[in-house]
Amino acid sequence: MRRYPDLGRPQPLPPVTYTRRMSPPSDDTPQTPDSNRYPSGFAGVLKHLAAGRLKTSGGSSPAAAAAVTPTSSLLSKALAESRDGNGIETGQIYQVQGGPPDYEQLLQSLQPGQPLSARQTAVGSLRYVIEGYSLSSVMGIWSAAKDLIQSPNPTEARKAGFDLLTTCVKHTDLTALERRHFFDSISEACNREDFHLQLNALVELTNHGKNIEAVEILLLPLLTSWLKVWFEYSNVARAIAKKDKSSKSNDALDEETNLGQLFAFIIESLRFNFKAFWEQHVISLLDQVLCICKKTTAEADIKNSISILDAVITYGDIPESMLAPCVEVLCGVYATLKSLEESTWNAISNLLTSHLARKMVLALLEILRDPSKEHTRNSNTIRGAAAVFKNLLKANGAGGLSLVPFSTLMDALQKSLAIDNSRLDLEVVQVLACLFESEELMALTLEEDWTLLLEILTRSFKRTIDSGNGQPSDSVLNDAQSPSAKISKDKTVTSTLSQILQQILQKLEVSCGILDFTQKEGVMEFFMLNQQHLAHSCVELVINYYADEHLCYPSNEEWLKKSGQLVEIFFKDSSLPAPLRLLVLKTIKDVYQTITGIVSNDIVNNYAISILDAIPVEKDVGVLEALIGFAVEAAIESDEGLFTRIIGYFHERISAKDSGVTTSRTSAQPVITSVSRPTSSGLPPFMSTSTSNVAAKGLVRMFLRSLNLSANRALDVFDELLYLSRSDTCETDARLTAMKLLFRLRSDSNNAILIISTSESEGLASALCRTVESANGNQGTENATQGRSSRSEETSSARSGRSASTGQPQSYMSRSKSTRSVSGPNRSAKPIPPLWMYPGPKALPEDPPTAASSFLCSYVEEPPEGSNDEAPFQSRIALKINVWLEVVITILQNDCDWEVYSYILVHLGSQLTNHSLFKGSVPQIKLLRNVLCEQIKAGSFHEPPSTSGLKKADVAICLFHIITMLLSYRDHFAKSEEDEIVRTFMLGVGSWDRTSKSCIHALSICCHEVPLSISKSLNTILQKMSQIITQTHVAVHILEFLAGLARMPEVYVNFREDDFRTVFGICFRYLQYVRDQREKESAPSSTRTSYASGRQSGTAKDFAPMAETNMPPNASDELPQYVYALAYHVMIFWFLSLRLQDRAKHVGWITRNLVYTDKAGKEVIEEQSQVTVDMMQRVAYSDRDETMLPPPLSSSVSDEIVMKKSWMMGLSIVTVETAVMSGLSQVTKRQPSGTIHSIFKQDFAKPAPHQIPLSTEKVSDTSNASSRAAVLPSHIFLQFIGSSAGIPAALQPIPLPDDDATNRAISTFDRNSTVDGHSIGVIYVGEDQESESEILANVMGSADYTDFLSGLGTLIRLKGAKFNTQGLDREYNTDGEFTFCWRDRVTEIVFHITTMMPTNLDHDPLCTNKKKHTGNDFVNIIFNNSGLPFNFDTFPSQLNFVNIVITPESRASFVATRLRSYDEREKEFYKVQVMSKPGFPEISPAAETKIVSGKSLPSFVRLLALNASVFSLVWATREGGEHVSSWRNRLREIVRLRYKRISSSSSAASPSPASPPYVTQQLHSSQAGSRDSSTARRASANTFLSEGTSHRSSVLSNNTEVDVAASQDNGSMVDNFDFSRWA
């Protein structure tokens, strides 16, 4: 037989071959007696007997069989006649011929009665004789020795007897009678110990089963009886061996060996002689074999039994009565013993290819259909039957195997599952798996009903769940091999069952595309019932099927049930991946949108609730986002009942403490690409969001959508947002989401609520390190200064500098550790990622509506008296803004959540600028002011956590900003409350690090808004500022504050002399610091090192700590020459602010501070100081403006000769123009700070009658004016400076030649303006305008814009203007007829107003004529009435450094502004913000948005624009030189002309008086300054402060110094410049 591989087990199945019934080979044919060898009679009878198998009718007994067999009767009679009374054959029959001579003697020795030893000896000799001699018969020998094998004899004797018997049966010429005689002898032996000898003799008798002549009838029953006996012997032996494990006895082995040999002989007998056996004997044998299979515990027994069955099947037929029992045994063995699978399957396959195949299949089906029949059939048998069917399905008719009807098999398999056995379930499922492995089988099953198949799978799935292992294995799920090859041997049965079921699911999933409608419907129902076992792709298939077939739509009668199944089975299963659940949600959402308006509202609402009720318990953020999105859409379109229900779900979700975001079940399957999952937004990538935050975003979306739909619904959502904001038990990110909306609430001029998209709070966010730039900007400084101890923030000492550890807060992204001290020991700060950043991701989940709400307002105004139309006032509902403000106040007082607290600090101020929003919240505004002022006063506001890297001062900055915004509500405050606000700002000046600047800016606003309160505390303010002036980061802000204050006489109206000196002292202190730094820079290196390392004192000490602070770049750092010039600017304005009678009193003190002594002991006065002294000379005794240039003298005295002459007198040019006859003279004095024109005429007395005429009068040459009797210009000049005491040569005036060079120099000088000129653009942005072209095309603005222009300056006609119009046309009105200008004693501003310039869109659609002016202005004022945030890049230009953006506090239409009266417009408030080009330093108090009243707006903005323009002039020339003011330029022109005149005099051949030494020094300084200017380099603030200012040409290089040695005879330099001593 060919060996077959195992079938149906973990190894892959090769093609199965089957063995058909075989016949013995030709050389092994059973031997039958030869007819020629035997005579007639008995021989013929025996020959006929051996011809073949005798059959009887079914059910006949052996006796009956013998009765109908005549040959058997004859044989019995012959045997009886051949025996004597003792059973010994007579010699007549057994006459022996042949043999040795002693044969008779040996035979005699063998006879009974002889001694056993002799007999045993004779046996040995006779065996030799039998084997060596040709004897005619051996029966005589055996007859004599027959009794030796009987039990009473000893073992040796019995063995000798069996040896002789074996030798005898081998004799070749045995007759049938002899064979029968020998068979009887063998079968009669009954000694157990001799069975192997007995069996051996039988084997030899039958020639190993090939020759059973004369024993056909008796052999099989004998073997059957032996089989029964020796099986029992074996069982007993095994039991004994099992109990006595230590025994070395081989008894058990002997019994098993005998049994095995017996099995082998039976098989051989069946193989060669099956047709000779009676059917009943075969049945008996099969009964015994089956009994052994059922009882044995030895695999060998079963193996041998199977071999017998296979022999019967192969070489004969199994009787029909035994077919079912044999099939059961075969199935049981096949299912139980893996090692016997091959042999068992060979037997089964042979049976299935026989004529009994159909009955065999029926028997198998019967086993499956009635698994509990008579309680005799165990599960192994049923498993085996299922396994057989599995192989049949695999073969699919190959090899002649039977085909099984699909429906019949499914019915049987379904019934077999009545037994609860996991192994049986596995076999059954494996049968089903075969159906899906073969495409051919699959094609056949497509025509069948799958109901039973799916029912079987469902039951199997249920049992896997009950067994506790219902989850598929990831490795099997992803294995691409066939299902049979995937079964792992080391897996449990249940696990393997789950794997195969999962594979079937995959096959079903793949096959769904080719199934008919009914089958597909059944498969989908099956999937739904077993959803916990489905792969993710299969779940997606089911969901799509429900959607594609519209099972959830009303067109299906069970649509509600189907929808419920989808939701309950898939959507609410949190273990499923989010994309699948979202797919369900999409399906339900589509159905909801379809049924809305078609079915009743109750059904629609319940349909929505069926899935929305998952909101309170949903943990997956992605799913919750989509669910919330659906809820928002449903709420907007629903009735009040569903809306309220949805709000309740949101409230439950928000109120529940988030236990953490869960992760959906992962799978090793390929990613499902057909489902896209929305992602959460609003946080940095490393952050996650809470589910409460998702619900909060839903509330925000609902509010945004309800804003213009339903006031009541918006109010309900607003109440929920207020609850969320105030609740400290809610998640922080959810609270922040609510606040992101609430802080963007605004109202327009009609009080209508609207939402802005930006928060307008970048500056304050930077202060708290909530911008990327501020968080990362100071990493290097912090690393360098980490570990240093910091001083207490609360110190009020102006000289206690800020240590390195108290610098700018550390970066959230790159900081690892920081150490700082906050009112206690050092604390280690670890990085904590913030929950919000500015601007960060999109703050609102969707864009807000651009239009204001038609239903909601901030305040419902009473209708005007006498008005009959109250409808507009009753249709709107007020939002509870007062409650929102109460929530904010409560958090500021009590909340300890830093993320929430910091968000309020940054965003509250910008919201407070919207006055119309808080019209109905006046009590809350007053309470907020009280709370904040009290917290600042007591220092009780919250301190940042140590992990934030911030200080308490950073919080104070934000609080001061909020109070600054509250200042605009001054109309609601009492005078004492206004005073308290000012005192609060005063407290911030110098009390905390970094708060000084904010408070100085706030005090600047107070000067405009509450001047009386400022005036009351001005002395204290100046004292505090004087203490911190040398801190570079506040110097520019203090000086700008003083510059603005100088233009407000109503504020300093109560100033005393000491107060003015305080102001001057602030300027001098800063100048003195700069001089100290210059001295340090010019000192040798060793001196500087020693100086720097020693203890600092005085002004330098005040500045020292600031080198370590981490301040943002400011004007002081970037361009110290600006601050240096600003200090002089302040002195000039404040000197002009003095009363005329008091000015001279301060000249000496001011002069003493302007002149200083350098390190060489030489007195020095700087160039800027000289023009300052020059200015004081002009205005100390006169409060009049510049004189007017009179008409030419020649026009007044046309009949006279006019002579003109000029002199250099000090640092001025004096020109005298005289009519020689009348003496009428025009005197022009050109000084650095201005030009004075005077008319001088001497009143000549009429000569006395007795006076004789002068002789010169007679000889005068009429052609030569100088020879005539006249008054010459020199006469007039000497009248003012001539003295008989004499003038030192160094101080004598220098006459200027009357030549073209001198005239050109003077003409050039006159073109230098006596004031600094600035051009500033003014641009109006109309409603909803954003592009440059449409903005520049405006020809008019709103009423408040017009009011602003009127306050900005004076309307001037351009044509014929005599001043510098800064590029505006003065001849042809090409730039308009008028513009607004402004001028004081020092500065002149010309405004380039685009609405006043001509507009011709046909010829100039881009308005380039306007752009050429505003595009070249350093500073532009943007009046933004668009209602939109202004973008700095709206007007691209290389020269626009600063845009001052003015925005009404509440959005108003063009028409609305026209309807306001002038008084109403003055009471309106405007937001002012200075926006700078990237890289441009912070220079303005409005760098952070400020709010100013309409009344104060023009003056405040003009001051901002002026300061920004001055700084821009300095900034624009920072790389290639310096900006020189008009006065300093005039001074340089005078010095240049003087030097030229002195040089020409010195180069003459004749000696001349030496040039004044100070003039030479001035020239040298000027040249040095020019060189320094050309090589000027930028330096950082630290360079400027630590290395001096040698490279700052405006401070160091352009000094016009005076040599003290040259004038020491005339006193000190101070005395020389102090004109008040002699004026």
Side-chain angles (χ1 to χ4, degrees), residues 41-60:
F42 283 114
V45 173
L46 293 176
K47 179 178 179 182
H48 177 74
L49 178 64
R53 173 183 173 189
L54 301 178
K55 294 187 177 180
T56 63
S57 59
S60 61

Side-chain angles (χ1 to χ4, degrees), residues 981-1258:
I981 291 177
V982 173
R983 288 194 298 271
T984 301
F985 292 138
M986 290 167 52
L987 187 62
V989 178
S991 297
W992 289 284
D993 292 337
R994 299 182 59 200
T995 60
S996 298
K997 183 182 75 172
S998 300
C999 292
I1000 292 171
H1001 293 167
L1003 291 172
S1004 299
I1005 303 297
C1006 292
C1007 291
H1008 294 272
E1009 301 299 332
V1010 286
L1012 294 180
S1013 297
I1014 287 288
S1015 180
K1016 186 176 181 180
S1017 303
L1018 191 55
N1019 295 338
T1020 306
I1021 293 173
L1022 295 178
Q1023 288 296 328
K1024 293 179 76 70
M1025 290 183 178
S1026 67
Q1027 295 172 358
I1028 62 172
I1029 180 58
T1030 53
Q1031 297 181 8
T1032 58
H1033 70 290
V1034 296
V1036 64
H1037 306 291
I1038 292 176
L1039 294 174
E1040 287 183 343
F1041 171 80
L1042 295 176
L1045 183 63
R1047 293 176 169 85
M1048 302 178 185
E1050 70 277 8
V1051 177
Y1052 61 84
V1053 65
N1054 296 322
F1055 254 34
R1056 296 173 299 179
E1057 185 176 343
D1058 292 341
D1059 298 324
F1060 283 100
R1061 291 208 171 193
T1062 299
V1063 175
F1064 293 130
I1066 291 174
C1067 300
F1068 293 143
R1069 190 169 185 185
Y1070 182 78
L1071 295 177
Q1072 183 59 43
Y1073 166 73
V1074 175
R1075 293 164 185 164
D1076 291 344
Q1077 294 298 313
R1078 180 171 53 192
E1079 294 296 332
K1080 289 172 58 178
E1081 174 64 21
S1082 61
S1085 300
S1086 60
T1087 305
R1088 289 200 305 270
T1089 303
S1090 174
Y1091 181 87
S1093 61
R1095 181 178 293 275
Q1096 296 171 331
S1097 62
T1099 306
K1101 181 179 178 182
D1102 294 335
F1103 275 83
M1106 302 315 299
E1108 296 181 354
T1109 57
N1110 295 322
M1111 293 297 145
N1114 55 53
S1116 303
D1117 298 332
E1118 294 293 330
L1119 291 177
Q1121 60 265 40
Y1122 166 69
V1123 188
Y1124 186 75
L1126 189 59
Y1128 281 103
H1129 188 74
V1130 171
M1131 282 193 293
I1132 293 171
F1133 271 98
W1134 277 99
F1135 187 81
L1136 293 172
S1137 300
L1138 288 167
R1139 293 182 299 176
L1140 184 62
Q1141 57 270 31
D1142 294 334
R1143 292 175 185 173
K1145 299 177 184 179
H1146 295 272
V1147 170
W1149 182 74
I1150 293 174
T1151 304
R1152 284 195 298 274
N1153 284 279
L1154 291 177
V1155 177
Y1156 70 97
T1157 303
D1158 62 10
K1159 63 180 180 180
K1162 182 171 62 175
E1163 289 185 327
V1164 179
I1165 185 168
E1166 299 162 334
E1167 186 178 88
Q1168 187 67 44
S1169 297
Q1170 287 186 356
V1171 297
T1172 302
V1173 173
D1174 184 79
M1175 180 275 303
M1176 290 192 296
Q1177 288 181 354
R1178 287 197 311 108
V1179 301
Y1181 301 100
S1182 174
D1183 216 5
R1184 301 300 299 269
D1185 289 331
E1186 291 187 358
T1187 57
M1188 182 180 63
L1189 177 65
L1193 190 60
S1194 58
S1195 62
S1196 302
V1197 287
S1198 58
D1199 57 343
E1200 295 189 50
I1201 298 175
V1202 178
M1203 299 183 65
K1204 182 170 65 174
K1205 189 172 184 178
S1206 300
W1207 293 263
M1208 294 290 301
M1209 188 174 69
L1211 295 178
S1212 64
I1213 303 173
V1214 179
T1215 299
V1216 179
E1217 187 178 3
T1218 306
V1220 296
M1221 296 302 296
S1222 63
L1224 181 64
S1225 302
Q1226 292 181 2
V1227 180
T1228 302
K1229 184 179 183 182
R1230 295 174 174 89
Q1231 299 174 238
S1233 61
T1235 299
I1236 299 175
H1237 300 280
S1238 304
I1239 300 295
F1240 178 81
K1241 181 180 181 181
Q1242 291 180 325
D1243 192 5
F1244 294 108
K1246 185 176 182 181
H1250 54 278
Q1251 180 177 330
I1252 63 173
L1254 296 174
S1255 58
T1256 56
E1257 295 179 357
K1258 296 180 179 181

Side-chain angles (χ1 to χ4, degrees), residues 530-582:
N530 301 278
Q531 59 85 19
Q532 65 272 37
H533 297 280
L534 299 183
H536 300 159
S537 59
C538 191
V539 173
E540 182 184 12
L541 179 66
V542 174
I543 298 171
N544 287 331
Y545 172 78
Y546 269 59
D548 296 341
E549 297 298 329
H550 288 191
L551 298 182
C552 300
Y553 286 81
S555 56
N556 179 20
E557 293 182 357
E558 297 183 337
W559 67 282
L560 290 175
K561 177 183 177 182
K562 296 296 183 181
S563 299
Q565 287 178 343
L566 272 186
V567 172
E568 295 298 328
I569 294 177
F570 294 128
F571 182 79
K572 293 187 178 180
D573 181 4
S574 59
S575 65
L576 284 178
L580 297 177
R581 303 176 65 201
L582 293 176

Side-chain angles (χ1 to χ4, degrees), residues 1347-1394:
D1347 296 339
F1348 169 72
L1349 291 180
S1350 299
L1352 201 59
T1354 303
L1355 187 65
I1356 300 296
R1357 184 182 296 274
L1358 289 173
K1359 191 171 185 178
K1362 302 301 181 182
F1363 59 92
N1364 183 1
T1365 58
Q1366 301 296 329
L1368 297 179
D1369 177 57
R1370 293 182 288 181
E1371 296 183 12
Y1372 306 107
N1373 292 332
T1374 56
D1375 296 319
E1377 293 186 52
F1378 300 92
T1379 191
F1380 282 92
C1381 304
W1382 179 89
R1383 175 174 174 147
D1384 60 11
R1385 304 285 287 273
V1386 180
T1387 308
E1388 182 178 64
I1389 303 175
V1390 176
F1391 294 100
H1392 292 164
I1393 305 170
T1394 57

